[in-house]
Amino acid sequence: MAIFIFKRVIGIPVTLFILSLMIFSLVLFLSPSERVAVFVSSSDALQSASLEELIERYGLDQPFYVQYGNWVKELLRGNLGWSSSARMPISEALALRIPATIELLFAGQVILLFGGIYLGTLAAEKENRFTDHCIRLLTIVGGAIPEFLVGLFLLILFYVTFDLLPPGRLGMLSTDIVNAPAFVKYTGLHLVDSLLNGQPHVFMDAFSHLILPSMAYSLGGLAATVRLMRSSLLDNLSRGYVPTARLKGLSNRQVMTRHVRRNAMLPVITFMGMRIPVLLSGSVIVETIFNFPGMGMFIVTAAQGLDFPAIIAASLAVSVIIIISNLIVDILYTVLNPQIRLDISR
Amino acid sequence: MEKNQPLLTVSNLTVSFKNKGRNVNAVNNLSLSMEKGEVLGLAGESGSGKTVTAMALAGLLADSKHTSVKGDIFFNGTPLPTIPNTNRFKSQRISMIFQDPLQSLNPAFTVGRQIQEVFMVRKKMTKRRARALSLDLLRQVKISSPESVAPQYPHQLSGGMCQRIMIAIALAGEPELLIADEPTTALDVTIQAQILQLLRQLHHTTKTPILLITHDLGIIAQFCHSLAIMLEGNIIEKGRVKDIFAGPLHPYTRGLLDSIPILGRKDRLKAMAPPRHSVNPVRGCSFHGRCPRKKKICEVKQPELREQEPGHFVRCFTPGGLS
Amino acid sequence: MKKQAKALVQHPTGIIGIILVLFWVSVAILAPMLAPPQDPDNAYMMVRHGFSSLPNPPNGQSPWGTTSGGYDIFYGIIWGSRTALVLGLVTVLATATIGALAGGVCAYYGGILDGVCMRIVDLFMGIPFLIAVIVMTTVWGKGMDKIILALIVFGWHRYARMMRSEVLVVKEQEFVLAAKNMGASPMGIFFRHVLPNALSPIIILMSINIGRMVLVAASLSFVGIGAEPGFADWGQMLNFSRNWISGIPGAPFYYWYTYAYASVAIFTFVLGWTLLGDALGTMYGKQEAY
Ligand SMILES: Nc1ncnc2c1ncn2[C@@H]1O[C@H](COP(=O)(O)OP(=O)(O)OP(=O)(O)O)[C@@H](O)[C@H]1O
Ligand code: SF4
Ligand SMILES: [Mg+2]
């Protein structure tokens, strides 16, 4: 297991290097004066020195690899540039935004996994009966409605009509608690920090603000996981280990939960890994609709304000989020599938 | 309990599958009995319904939308239900091992855990106690280092190993009948002999009756006390192995024995002529289309299973060729 | 061909798909008649009735009402269908051509080229499509052309993968080996043997992707970084409606017309192409196509 994780982690710097090269090459589309903003760490720095000085300092008239080197150097020092749209250093902005998107991504994956397992099992158990048909219809429709329509619909239904589940990431009360100096920000994730700080109300508040956006953007994927889970369950139910398990004396339910479901989950986990980029794209839309201040909204604001340094840093941040969440999904997969685990670590 | 009451009595077992409106009769009015302490061989061409019979006996086929199971099965004098009944397995004393041992084990769990599970489910044992017993069982199936095998996953073990694990799982249920459906077919020749040897030893020490399904007449010669031959969902001959081998009464059995040049060859029993598919129960003897001794009556009337010689049953109008 | 068309029509979802697609195609074609532009040189700019920042309910002048900014909703929906159709067709044709060529060439020659190609495809699979398009259009500047370009850059890899697997299958078949031995040119083999086999899955993917591409472009406009203000574009119309969704106190659906028409338009347009692709997929027995 440890060997597997080690081998998997080793490849990450290479991927990261290629991606950072690709992302930095975006600056080639920018003029040197636009490019300067990618390097400086505050708005004052832009004013205090002349453009020529800055171009000189960061080697912007030098070959590409020199510029890339300088950029990476600044990156490693924690300087991602100055965001004109957020009016703060990008590193600080990201520290606020990334946890929000991670919470959303996590919530979305939880819906994909548990919704897929639950509804998929239901559909498989009632194969070709009424419940199964209902679920199938739901998944066809759910898979065809775009995220922003689902989002708008949920917003109209739960907020406008019933005045439940408001947009945003936290209510006003909780925001004050979180921003108070006494509240220690261990991770930036409200769900985690609130518990560590002993603030269950903040936890509930953060949780309730996650419900609508995560539902809105995981619905399309949920349709797929339900279908996957259903067919995978039916496939596993016809495998040879099922009669063995039944002869042991397990009830049908126990055969399902202890033996079949665990094996049937594997394709769903694979799908969750493939879904990560789709969910992140979707976060752009749902964060905008629900006014949820995460990376998606950050990217939109940066794009509207032609805030190039923020766009470039955000691309990098999104890459890192994808790489790490892929790693987590891979680890989950190997925990569930001893076959892979042993083959790779051998 | 009477001493000489049979272990198992099956009467008029009929299993049919409904597929897209068509009815396939896999087992047709089959009757069979088995004595305590006996090893009964069950042979017959591919598709003759051996596996389906075994599954029905073990309770793995239950009356449902797609399957119909009719007939009476008495085990140790008590009737076994043919309706869906998941509670029966917990106390059931019929264990079964299958043709493909790797497929029969759950790939996600260690083999040790899969053996333990039987004790934990059936006897509500603690994990520690179940573990100790499962290690004992591994020793019993001749695994020399149980501690190192138990934490392995099925795909890390050889086919022979997996079959021994399956036998251990079967034994954990303390069976009064062990059904082995072609337990060696999927294995290497050398391993086949080992598994067979193991089954023989187990039978020798525990006297557990075994219903052994096989295509290999050599295995039957070495291992079984009696033999039943199946054809198109029914038993056409049954008796002590030495009686049948010495004087087969049914023309199909005769053909089978004649077609083995060497005992112990391992190809499947091929039909001597292509079998009819048993979609519709045919009129007359199910073998008449391929029978060299066919008479007029064979086409219109189905012969009954009759005791031609003491303990030697046959379903034919011209048993042994004498008329 | 006739038999296939019949099978498609017998497919219930296929029928709905065809009807929706035909409907929107005819609306797009008939747009100048359905909603005559005020300025024929600038037909894609929505007609404006004043500059009020408040939306206006349907009235004689604007049958479906106006958005904030006075844009005519009926006009926007009608001409928006052209925007969607053109954008969908152009991006899908371009991505399919590029992807099929790349995948076909890589698979045909194999070796290192194929390996590198597949690594690149894998990399693109991991990139969030919408975010990538936003980043590119930010760096390149505004405009429909830039959006289309970005959609093409990040949309070709699915076709490449599909074409590659089709070519790999066909490559091993006997008649192709024979044609190769007889000195047929790669181009000839491609057009005679590979393309006919690969065509059906690619067409299915194209159909589904028309909806998908339009959706991404609409998402861009919806978050306010797509088409220029006033351009007839459904996503943008929804963007205009965002401030009015909650209605007024006591009447939550007071401004229903600002989002209802555009939502239905996008949904039915995308659904039509998706269902059509789905039905084509079932028809050709390639449900896994997408
Ligand atoms: N679940 C099922 N649905 C429909 N038909 C079935 C099913 N299971 C078995 N059958 C049919 O029942 C008949 C008997 O099958 P069975 O597996 O018992 O044969 P067998 O004697 O075990 O053959 P083999 O020696 O090849 O294992 C076959 O014709 C088979 O096609
Ligand atoms: S009953 Fe007639 S057909 Fe059947 S096996 Fe005997 S002789 Fe042959
Ligand atoms: Mg069988």
Side-chain angles (χ1 to χ4, degrees):
Chain A
M1 187 69 187
I3 302 171
F4 164 76
I5 296 177
F6 178 73
K7 283 195 174 175
R8 185 64 184 65
V9 169
I10 283 232
I12 289 182
V14 183
T15 322
L16 214 51
F17 171 70
I18 297 175
L19 277 170
S20 69
L21 261 185
M22 281 175 61
I23 290 169
F24 185 71
S25 63
L26 291 175
V27 302
L28 297 182
F29 292 109
L30 304 176
S31 70
S33 58
E34 288 168 329
R35 221 178 282 171
V36 163
V38 176
F39 290 85
V40 297
S41 58
S42 73
S43 60
D44 296 342
L46 271 177
Q47 266 108 52
S48 63
S50 72
L51 199 57
E52 284 74 29
E53 270 172 25
L54 288 170
I55 290 178
E56 173 83 20
R57 185 184 312 161
Y58 296 110
L60 299 184
D61 44 4
Q62 309 263 326
F64 177 74
Y65 64 91
V66 178
Q67 298 186 34
Y68 174 73
N70 287 338
W71 179 63
V72 172
K73 235 181 270 165
E74 293 292 315
L75 268 185
L76 294 180
R77 285 172 47 204
N79 172 22
L80 291 160
W82 172 260
S83 164
S84 55
S85 60
R87 275 182 247 87
M88 58 168 90
I90 293 174
S91 47
E92 281 175 32
L94 291 185
L96 291 174
R97 300 307 189 97
I98 291 178
T101 291
I102 288 182
E103 278 184 343
L104 202 56
L105 185 62
F106 180 75
Q109 295 281 31
V110 165
I111 293 181
L112 287 190
L113 181 62
F114 291 101
I117 290 177
Y118 179 73
L119 291 175
T121 310
L122 209 62
E125 278 175 348
K126 314 267 168 179
E127 190 193 354
N128 289 331
R129 276 191 277 166
F130 183 67
T131 320
D132 186 21
H133 292 308
C134 284
I135 292 174
R136 186 176 310 164
L137 190 72
L138 210 75
T139 57
I140 290 177
V141 175
I145 304 181
E147 288 127 350
F148 56 92
L149 291 187
V150 180
L152 285 178
F153 176 76
L154 291 177
L155 193 70
I156 291 175
L157 189 69
F158 285 95
Y159 178 54
V160 177
T161 316
F162 298 123
D163 210 5
L164 287 167
L165 301 175
R169 191 178 171 205
L170 277 183
M172 240 173 324
L173 230 70
S174 309
T175 312
D176 288 344
I177 296 177
V178 168
N179 288 337
F183 191 92
V184 191
K185 292 194 166 109
Y186 298 98
T187 59
L189 305 165
H190 290 342
L191 289 181
V192 178
D193 289 354
S194 60
L195 293 181
L196 291 178
N197 281 287
Q199 296 279 5
H201 291 298
V202 177
F203 178 87
M204 285 317 294
D205 194 45
F207 179 79
S208 66
H209 280 86
L210 273 175
I211 296 176
L212 287 188
S214 53
M215 260 169 53
Y217 86 151
S218 57
L219 198 68
L222 181 63
T225 53
V226 170
R227 262 180 293 179
L228 262 181
M229 188 71 194
R230 177 183 181 276
S231 60
S232 172
L233 274 173
L234 291 177
D235 171 50
N236 269 282
L237 274 173
S238 65
R239 298 264 177 95
Y241 65 82
V242 173
T244 309
R246 290 179 62 195
L247 280 174
K248 286 178 183 176
L250 294 161
S251 69
N252 282 349
R253 207 58 277 123
Q254 286 170 323
V255 171
M256 195 71 151
T257 52
R258 293 193 199 169
H259 284 263
V260 178
R261 196 138 85 183
R262 184 176 161 135
N263 287 301
M265 248 159 71
L266 292 173
V268 175
I269 307 276
T270 308
F271 178 83
M272 282 168 63
M274 285 163 34
R275 201 68 189 177
I276 292 168
V278 183
L279 284 180
L280 284 171
S281 275
S283 71
V284 170
I285 297 160
V286 294
E287 286 180 12
T288 306
I289 293 178
F290 292 99
N291 209 7
F292 192 91
M295 287 304 295
M297 232 171 115
F298 182 72
I299 289 173
V300 169
T301 327
Q304 283 166 340
L306 296 183
D307 184 355
F308 302 115
I311 279 284
I312 286 171
S315 310
L316 200 64
V318 167
S319 311
V320 174
I321 294 177
I322 292 177
I323 289 174
I324 292 177
S325 29
N326 259 321
L327 179 68
I328 294 173
V329 169
D330 278 2
I331 291 175
L332 189 62
Y333 189 87
T334 47
V335 167
L336 287 172
N337 187 358
Q339 222 148 322
I340 295 278
R341 172 158 85 224
L342 297 157
D343 288 351
I344 292 178
S345 62
R346 204 170 272 161
Chain B
M1 218 192 292
E2 280 176 63
K3 203 151 184 219
N4 49 4
Q5 163 201 324
L7 172 77
L8 177 78
T9 330
V10 182
S11 45
N12 306 324
L13 179 69
T14 299
V15 182
S16 53
F17 298 102
K18 281 164 236 168
N19 254 344
K20 289 178 193 133
R22 290 206 321 169
N23 248 355
V24 179
N25 269 13
V27 175
N28 224 333
N29 225 6
L30 174 142
S31 299
L32 177 71
S33 74
M34 202 176 156
E35 303 300 323
K36 284 180 182 138
E38 171 182 53
V39 179
L40 170 65
L42 187 59
E45 62 192 20
S46 241
S48 55
K50 305 182 295 293
T51 299
V52 173
T53 307
M55 302 268 272
L57 294 183
L60 291 169
L61 291 177
D63 234 9
S64 73
K65 210 163 113 191
H66 300 290
T67 320
S68 125
V69 183
K70 297 268 155 11
D72 298 313
I73 304 172
F74 286 90
F75 186 67
N76 266 338
T78 44
L80 291 182
T82 52
I83 51 166
N85 182 348
T86 54
N87 293 331
R88 73 177 270 188
F89 294 113
K90 221 171 203 159
S91 52
Q92 170 164 305
R93 291 301 186 79
I94 302 177
S95 295
M96 187 164 173
I97 59 178
F98 305 91
Q99 181 172 339
D100 189 338
L102 187 58
Q103 289 297 317
S104 308
L105 292 166
N106 190 329
F109 299 125
T110 63
V111 294
R113 182 169 163 180
Q114 299 191 50
I115 303 173
Q116 281 169 30
E117 195 176 18
V118 185
F119 297 115
M120 292 165 67
V121 171
R122 293 191 171 216
K123 304 218 163 139
K124 302 261 177 290
M125 275 186 197
T126 62
K127 208 170 195 165
R128 272 189 59 199
R129 180 105 186 77
R131 201 181 113 80
L133 284 182
S134 68
L135 291 180
D136 281 350
L137 272 179
L138 284 175
R139 262 181 287 269
Q140 217 179 323
V141 295
K142 303 284 177 284
I143 286 173
S144 51
S145 51
E147 284 85 0
S148 67
V149 170
Q152 307 263 16
Y153 290 92
H155 68 274
Q156 293 173 286
L157 301 173
S158 66
M161 263 312 205
C162 285
Q163 197 58 295
R164 282 194 258 172
I165 304 292
M166 277 304 291
I167 295 175
I169 291 177
L171 292 182
E174 297 171 352
E176 287 172 22
L177 169 61
L178 175 62
I179 302 176
D181 187 0
E182 306 192 42
T184 59
T185 314
L187 306 176
D188 283 356
V189 189
T190 47
I191 311 295
Q192 285 188 3
Q194 288 175 13
I195 295 293
L196 232 74
Q197 180 64 17
L198 176 63
L199 284 175
R200 273 170 70 132
Q201 280 177 5
L202 288 174
H203 178 71
H204 198 76
T205 49
T206 62
K207 294 282 177 289
T208 309
I210 300 179
L211 175 62
L212 180 70
I213 300 175
T214 179
H215 283 259
D216 191 333
L217 295 177
I219 290 177
I220 289 169
Q222 293 166 39
F223 190 12
C224 299
H225 304 128
S226 17
L227 169 63
I229 310 274
M230 275 190 81
L231 183 68
E232 309 228 338
N234 216 331
I235 289 181
I236 47 121
E237 184 159 2
K238 192 195 165 212
R240 278 190 298 271
V241 171
K242 56 177 199 286
D243 292 344
I244 295 184
F245 275 37
L249 296 177
H250 196 282
Y252 175 71
T253 318
R254 157 118 273 155
L256 274 186
L257 292 174
D258 287 350
S259 69
I260 33 167
I262 331 147
L263 283 186
R265 69 174 202 164
K266 60 183 180 53
D267 19 328
R268 325 212 86 193
L269 292 179
K270 284 195 211 82
M272 284 167 283
R276 272 166 311 144
H277 206 70
S278 45
V279 176
N280 308 308
V282 272
R283 257 156 63 90
C285 171
S286 54
F287 193 55
H288 75 69
R290 302 184 259 162
C291 182
R293 308 204 295 244
K294 188 184 77 175
K295 298 195 302 184
K296 269 263 158 55
I297 183 171
C298 305
E299 289 178 28
V300 281
K301 205 165 167 246
Q302 194 182 15
E304 293 294 316
L305 194 63
R306 281 188 301 134
E307 190 163 12
Q308 186 67 20
E309 294 158 11
H312 193 163
F313 298 82
V314 66
R315 190 188 287 276
C316 176
F317 291 117
T318 62
L322 342 144
S323 47
Chain C
M1 194 60 204
K2 211 168 161 187
K3 216 167 81 193
Q4 284 169 357
K6 207 172 146 198
L8 190 59
V9 174
Q10 275 163 356
H11 216 276
T13 56
I15 288 214
I16 302 176
I18 289 179
I19 291 176
L20 289 175
V21 166
L22 282 182
F23 172 75
W24 282 117
V25 169
S26 9
V27 169
I29 292 173
L30 300 176
M33 272 163 266
L34 293 170
Q38 280 175 339
D39 173 7
D41 293 335
N42 243 338
Y44 281 103
M45 294 312 283
M46 285 188 269
V47 167
R48 279 183 110 158
H49 310 287
F51 297 86
S52 154
S53 59
L54 281 182
N56 259 320
N59 55 42
Q61 197 184 20
S62 50
W64 289 356
T66 61
T67 65
S68 66
Y71 294 106
D72 188 303
I73 292 178
F74 178 74
Y75 190 91
I77 297 291
I78 300 294
W79 282 84
S81 68
R82 262 199 185 195
T83 311
L85 196 64
V86 168
L87 179 130
L89 287 177
V90 171
T91 51
V92 160
L93 283 175
T95 47
T97 314
I98 296 172
L101 268 180
V105 168
C106 289
Y108 187 84
Y109 291 103
I112 298 178
L113 180 69
D114 190 37
V116 173
C117 204
M118 281 306 109
R119 285 288 84 72
I120 296 177
V121 167
D122 281 347
L123 188 71
F124 271 78
M125 296 273 290
I127 296 177
F129 193 35
L130 179 61
I131 292 182
V133 173
I134 292 179
V135 169
M136 289 325 289
T137 48
T138 311
V139 183
W140 284 339
K142 272 200 175 236
M144 220 29 150
D145 49 339
K146 310 276 174 40
I147 294 178
I148 289 178
L149 197 61
L151 288 173
I152 294 170
V153 169
F154 290 99
W156 57 275
H157 57 273
R158 283 168 196 276
Y159 299 94
R161 251 168 86 106
M162 179 169 288
M163 191 65 186
R164 177 174 177 270
S165 54
E166 293 293 328
V167 172
L168 287 183
V169 170
V170 175
K171 211 170 127 184
E172 300 307 320
Q173 282 166 2
E174 265 168 48
F175 55 90
V176 174
L177 291 178
K180 223 169 160 181
N181 284 337
M182 280 153 58
S185 73
M187 267 302 168
I189 293 179
F190 180 81
F191 281 109
R192 203 146 328 117
H193 301 298
V194 178
L195 203 56
N197 276 294
L199 214 52
S200 60
I202 286 191
I203 287 177
I204 296 163
L205 190 58
M206 283 170 77
S207 174
I208 292 170
N209 267 356
I210 285 182
R212 194 181 274 157
M213 289 293 190
V214 166
L215 210 55
V216 172
S219 309
L220 271 184
S221 309
F222 175 72
V223 297
I225 37 190
E228 51 193 300
F231 198 86
D233 176 277
W234 296 334
Q236 190 176 65
M237 297 177 72
L238 275 180
N239 180 34
F240 286 158
S241 78
R242 275 179 46 214
N243 290 332
W244 312 101
I245 282 175
S246 44
I248 56 174
F253 300 112
Y254 191 74
Y255 294 116
W256 63 272
Y257 51 89
T258 58
Y259 49 82
Y261 292 114
S263 303
V264 171
I266 293 181
F267 177 60
T268 51
F269 185 93
V270 175
L271 186 71
W273 287 101
T274 310
L275 288 182
L276 180 62
D278 231 32
L280 284 171
T282 337
M283 205 176 84
Y284 286 113
K286 304 232 171 157
Q287 268 146 314
E288 314 307 323
Y290 55 102

